[in-house]
Amino acid sequence: MPDLLLELLSEEIPARMQRRAAEDLKKLVTDALVERGFLYEGAKAFATPRRLALHVAGLPARGEAVREERRGPRVGAPEAAVQGFLKSAGLSSLDQATTVTDPKKGEFYLAVIERPGRETLDVLAEILPGIIKSFPWPKSMRWGAASAQPGSLRWVRPLQSIVATFGPETETPDVVPFAVEGISAGTTTRGHRFLSPEPFEVRRFDDYVPALERADVILDADRRKDIILHDAKDLAFARGLDLVEDEGLLEEVAGLVERPVVLMGSFEERFLEIPAEAIRATIRANQKCFVLRKSGSEELAPAFLLVSNLVASDGGAAITAGNERVVRARLSDARFFWETDKATKLEDRLPKLDAIVFHEKLGTQGERVARIAGLARRIASDIDVQFDLDLVERAARLAKADLVTEMVGEFPELQGLMGRKYATLQGEDPRVAAAIEEHYKPLGPSDRVPTEIVSIAVAMADKLDLLAGFWSIDEKPTGSKDPFGLRRAALGVIRLILENGLRLPLLDGPIWDAFDELPGKSVAILDLSSVAALDALDEDTELTDPRAKDLLAFFADRLKVYLRDQGARHDLIDAVFALPGQDDLLLVVRRVEALGAFLATDDGKNLLAGYKRAANILRIEEKKDGRAYDAEPDAALAASGEPEERALAEALTATREEASAAVAAEDFSGAMRALSRLRAPVDAFFEKVTVNADDPALRRNRLLLLNALRAATREVAEFSRIEG
């Protein structure tokens, strides 16, 4: 079957945009084809620094003919209805329609519309110009004389040529006939800018890839990555060294070259006095080079690997020498920063934080550090009242000091890490030094979580101050926008609590403490319409600040995301959070786990079904009677009723007491076992007892029994939130 080959050749495309652009091209073209009824066997997109390419295999030569029956108005309908039908069906008169009889509706008009299948080549010529003109580049430009005209073509860099061919393997493919801004589709492309700049002809994908390779272009980015990685490892091994692998850098470098050539450079041993992270940062950020380490060791070697886009006549000697000169200059700067920073203690840098505005409504970094220090003391005391709180405060005071060092000013990604090194050099307690680095953690779902109390307290204080601060000025995440990383901060607090097994009721503890540390000018009253599910918290706490309650609702949403990623059901999380006072995240998780295990059993499934039946009956009867059945049932009246009625009343009393005691003891599995004993009496009650008895007193008491079942289940969760 015929294939499509499309290539868009331009000036250099930024490496960070290439992979996404290739996928966008594939999706836009294939979606447009499928939308028009043209299915295909396979498609793959490619990107190099100068081109996007797409191969769509197995397209039909033409689309299938379409036969459509369109029903019209009844015979004798008003003229306006008839004319509307003719126009929509593309008919000139009723003579072109047929009449059909419906036994129920009588006679009506029917139009049979037949459309021949369109040539795929014509369809491609129709859709490709629009895709190119509206391509979703993150940033694009206009160029040349046409750029003065509104609506002119925008591309990431000036577009130079278009290759677009379509046809089967056994025949010469046709050129897709279209043009964009004076650039006509054809069969001519170019290879490597310097090694093979001459134009050459291509016809189909099977010829295109080898032709590019002869012209020193490796089309597939993943293949370029494999070549770079393989050659880098081989070159390092030949010198007795190991490559420090860097997937992000590898992806970027593969997007900078069309013909990768790996070369090795070196620098003086004296530069190894600089911290290894700083060496790696400067070589990676400034030169896009890989660092090496001594074989079998974590110690860096005085060498690096660079990736050239040229096969040089001198074997790359000049290219290597040029990179070495720049690397030496960069490392000289880094060494100067290192030596300069070591001469000043971290605490002596703290006044400089007062000159750095963190946020115009939340004060300076110095003020924020003071808040974090106070909050960290409170959190550490909640974790272990006997712990050395002065040590925690010391770590919090120094945590941001490295932000005003020369090294972090040049390489912001080293914040925290350089602070730890400077703290170690000046003789700080190892736990303080570790906390300076670790208070930023965890940075993502796969990042390590600190385990020492000092690090935990400072890390949690840093994140809670961030959350409380922006909540207080009503700068909360909206939709997909989260410019201050508040979702990540909340998830970090959740992981710090859960993965360290901490018992920290958030609302009465760290959240309230975080708001308490804020300056009074930050106070703002927020809309609580989104946290109605947490209204019951006011019954169990003296807290009245609505901001804290709103922030806890945000933590609840983040916990749902976290637990869903762990495999928990979202409805079970909702069922637990619907209960009052659920701000101890560790207990929430344990309760969700126990509830999930219980509902996976036959007893759990049947009890849930019984609950749903009871809740439905109550809802119907309460609506009909205009009253709520929320009192305690009459035990004596139940005892005088049916045996199943008496058994259910006795089981509910015992179960509720047992479940309540188990929950109070934080034995959630025990609470579930207590609920499981309700299965048999509930099943028997619904099988043998008529709830809507003729006797009004008996009917009322039986409805109250159903409410008692509802209340018993609420000891562990709000069963009405559970699906199934």
Side-chain angles (χ1 to χ4, degrees):
M1 296 179 74
D3 293 355
L4 167 68
L5 169 63
L6 176 65
E7 182 202 68
L8 303 168
L9 183 71
S10 68
E11 299 294 328
E12 274 68 14
I13 305 169
R16 67 183 183 279
M17 298 183 187
Q18 292 171 19
R19 195 172 287 273
R20 175 62 184 271
E23 290 305 311
D24 284 343
L25 180 63
K26 172 184 170 182
K27 185 176 190 306
L28 289 169
V29 173
T30 55
D31 284 358
L33 287 168
V34 171
E35 184 180 326
R36 289 162 175 78
F38 290 81
L39 304 182
Y40 60 95
E41 293 177 357
K44 188 171 183 180
F46 306 88
T48 79
R50 297 181 62 208
R51 72 199 76 222
L52 295 180
L54 174 67
H55 176 227
V56 182
L59 280 167
R62 65 181 301 129
E64 293 183 359
V66 176
R67 186 180 188 277
E68 177 187 355
E69 292 186 354
R70 184 169 300 177
R71 181 169 174 167
R74 289 180 292 104
V75 173
E79 182 64 20
V82 172
Q83 291 302 319
F85 164 63
L86 293 175
K87 183 177 180 180
S88 67
L91 305 181
S92 57
S93 71
L94 287 177
D95 294 338
Q96 295 175 300
T98 59
T99 302
V100 179
T101 302
D102 186 313
K104 294 182 179 179
K105 298 183 179 180
E107 288 187 322
F108 59 89
Y109 295 113
L110 182 73
V112 178
I113 305 168
E114 294 185 350
R115 298 190 184 94
R118 295 182 63 192
E119 294 285 343
T120 307
L121 195 68
D122 296 336
V123 173
L124 290 170
E126 175 186 289
I127 65 176
L128 292 179
I131 289 172
I132 295 171
K133 289 178 181 179
S134 61
F135 199 80
W137 291 107
K139 290 185 178 181
S140 58
M141 62 178 289
R142 294 182 294 178
W143 63 93
S147 64
Q149 304 300 319
S152 60
L153 174 65
R154 301 186 67 93
W155 201 248
V156 63
R157 295 292 185 269
L159 187 64
Q160 295 178 335
S161 67
I162 301 172
V163 171
T165 67
F166 176 75
E169 296 180 1
T170 55
E171 301 174 13
T172 301
D174 295 314
V175 173
V176 182
F178 72 93
V180 178
E181 299 289 332
I183 304 174
S184 298
T187 59
T188 303
T189 188
R190 294 176 182 270
H192 193 283
R193 180 184 291 278
F194 305 111
L195 300 177
S196 302
E198 300 81 11
F200 58 91
E201 299 291 312
V202 292
R203 286 290 179 181
R204 55 174 58 85
F205 185 74
D206 289 344
D207 303 328
Y208 174 68
V209 175
L212 282 180
E213 296 208 9
R214 289 192 297 271
D216 296 290
V217 174
I218 307 298
L219 181 64
D220 191 340
D222 290 329
R223 185 162 168 239
R224 294 197 300 274
K225 286 174 64 176
D226 289 342
I227 291 171
I228 294 169
L229 185 60
H230 183 271
D231 290 354
K233 287 182 175 180
D234 285 352
L235 188 54
F237 179 76
R239 304 290 178 89
L241 303 172
D242 291 332
L243 172 69
V244 178
E245 295 189 33
D246 187 329
E247 177 61 28
L249 180 59
L250 181 61
E251 176 76 17
E252 182 176 9
V253 170
L256 296 174
V257 296
E258 290 191 318
R259 174 67 169 85
V261 177
V262 181
L263 304 170
M264 181 178 290
S266 63
F267 54 86
E268 289 79 359
E269 289 265 0
R270 59 190 173 89
F271 289 123
L272 294 179
E273 298 171 4
I274 308 169
E277 295 83 0
I279 294 175
R280 182 175 180 179
T282 188
I283 291 178
R284 182 191 197 280
N286 295 307
Q287 290 305 108
K288 312 301 180 191
C289 295
F290 297 87
V291 296
L292 300 166
R293 59 171 174 254
K294 297 175 182 178
S295 184
S297 169
E298 292 299 315
E299 184 181 351
L300 290 187
F304 62 91
L305 295 177
L306 61 106
V307 182
S308 169
N309 195 32
L310 287 174
V311 180
S313 58
D314 63 355
I319 296 172
T320 302
N323 277 268
E324 287 176 339
R325 284 194 300 273
V326 178
V327 166
R328 289 190 191 102
R330 296 291 189 181
L331 291 177
S332 294
D333 291 342
R335 188 181 185 191
F336 172 77
F337 298 150
W338 172 243
E339 297 297 336
T340 301
D341 289 342
K342 288 194 299 181
T344 305
K345 288 191 172 183
L346 290 175
E347 60 263 35
D348 294 337
R349 299 181 180 276
L350 295 180
K352 291 185 178 181
L353 294 176
D354 294 325
I356 301 174
V357 176
F358 171 67
H359 188 281
E360 61 179 354
K361 295 181 182 179
L362 296 174
T364 66
Q365 279 285 10
E367 292 171 327
R368 182 164 186 258
V369 165
R371 296 197 300 268
I372 292 172
L375 182 55
R377 284 185 72 98
R378 296 187 184 194
I379 293 171
S381 178
D382 290 340
I383 296 173
D384 183 354
V385 72
Q386 303 295 327
F387 196 77
D388 184 353
L389 302 185
D390 291 337
L391 198 68
V392 175
E393 182 172 352
R394 175 70 174 173
R397 293 281 179 188
L398 299 180
K400 305 293 184 183
D402 67 345
L403 295 179
V404 290
T405 61
E406 299 288 341
M407 189 71 83
V408 174
E410 181 71 15
F411 303 109
E413 66 270 26
L414 298 182
Q415 64 182 7
L417 186 145
M418 295 311 302
R420 179 175 190 167
K421 291 187 178 295
Y422 296 137
T424 301
L425 285 173
Q426 71 183 40
E428 295 291 339
D429 186 293
R431 291 169 292 179
V432 170
I436 292 173
E437 178 184 6
E438 294 178 344
H439 84 278
Y440 292 105
K441 294 181 178 294
L443 291 173
S446 60
D447 196 19
R448 183 178 64 84
V449 172
T451 56
E452 287 286 340
I453 288 182
V454 180
S455 297
I456 293 170
V458 180
M460 197 177 298
D462 178 52
K463 294 167 179 59
L464 284 170
D465 176 76
L466 187 74
L467 288 159
F470 283 106
W471 243 250
S472 72
I473 61 174
D474 204 13
E475 289 280 357
K476 299 177 288 186
T478 56
S480 61
K481 296 180 180 179
D482 186 12
F484 304 111
L486 302 182
R487 292 188 179 98
R488 183 177 65 233
L491 183 58
V493 172
I494 289 169
R495 290 189 62 201
L496 284 164
I497 290 173
L498 298 184
E499 296 182 30
N500 284 296
L502 301 180
R503 295 295 309 280
L504 283 176
L506 286 178
L507 201 56
D508 262 340
I511 288 181
W512 172 246
D513 292 342
F515 282 106
D516 192 42
E517 292 286 344
L518 291 171
K521 65 183 179 182
S522 299
V523 174
I525 300 301
L526 305 182
D527 175 18
L528 293 183
S529 60
S530 63
V531 292
L534 295 169
D535 281 343
L537 285 167
D538 284 336
E539 301 172 7
D540 298 322
T541 176
E542 296 179 359
L543 180 66
T544 57
D545 191 329
R547 302 166 303 168
K549 190 175 178 183
D550 188 57
L551 180 54
L552 182 61
F554 182 70
F555 271 104
D557 288 338
R558 290 297 92 200
L559 182 62
K560 291 176 189 177
V561 173
Y562 174 79
L563 293 179
R564 278 201 299 267
D565 290 343
Q566 308 296 315
R569 285 168 47 182
H570 68 89
D571 56 329
L572 303 190
I573 304 167
D574 287 336
V576 171
F577 264 113
L579 299 177
Q582 299 305 309
D583 67 337
D584 187 327
L585 301 186
L586 190 63
L587 289 190
V588 168
V589 171
R590 290 176 180 173
R591 194 184 292 237
V592 168
E593 290 171 347
L595 181 59
F598 172 59
L599 292 176
T601 65
D602 288 340
D603 285 344
K605 293 173 184 175
N606 286 339
L607 180 61
L608 177 61
Y611 168 87
K612 297 284 188 183
R613 184 174 178 182
N616 286 335
I617 292 172
L618 281 169
R619 186 183 68 255
I620 293 169
E621 298 306 315
E622 286 176 340
K623 182 178 180 180
K624 183 171 68 177
D625 298 347
R627 55 172 295 183
Y629 290 96
D630 53 4
E632 291 293 326
D634 185 332
L637 187 57
S640 64
E642 301 289 341
E644 293 80 10
E645 184 176 359
R646 182 169 62 251
L648 178 59
E650 293 171 353
L652 285 170
T653 300
T655 295
R656 192 167 182 180
E657 292 176 356
E658 185 179 347
S660 179
V663 168
E666 299 175 4
D667 179 11
F668 300 115
S669 295
M672 301 302 165
R673 285 195 299 274
L675 286 184
S676 69
R677 300 189 186 103
L678 287 175
R679 175 193 172 179
V682 167
D683 289 349
F685 177 83
F686 281 123
E687 184 177 347
K688 299 292 186 179
V689 177
T690 301
V691 175
N692 286 315
D694 294 333
D695 184 341
L698 195 58
R699 171 179 177 271
R700 176 180 179 276
N701 204 53
R702 288 173 179 175
L703 289 172
L704 292 176
L705 274 177
L706 297 186
N707 180 67
L709 170 61
R710 185 165 59 182
T713 59
R714 281 181 182 151
E715 294 293 335
V716 294
E718 179 52 76
F719 271 47
S720 64
R721 301 291 184 93
I722 301 174
E723 298 175 357

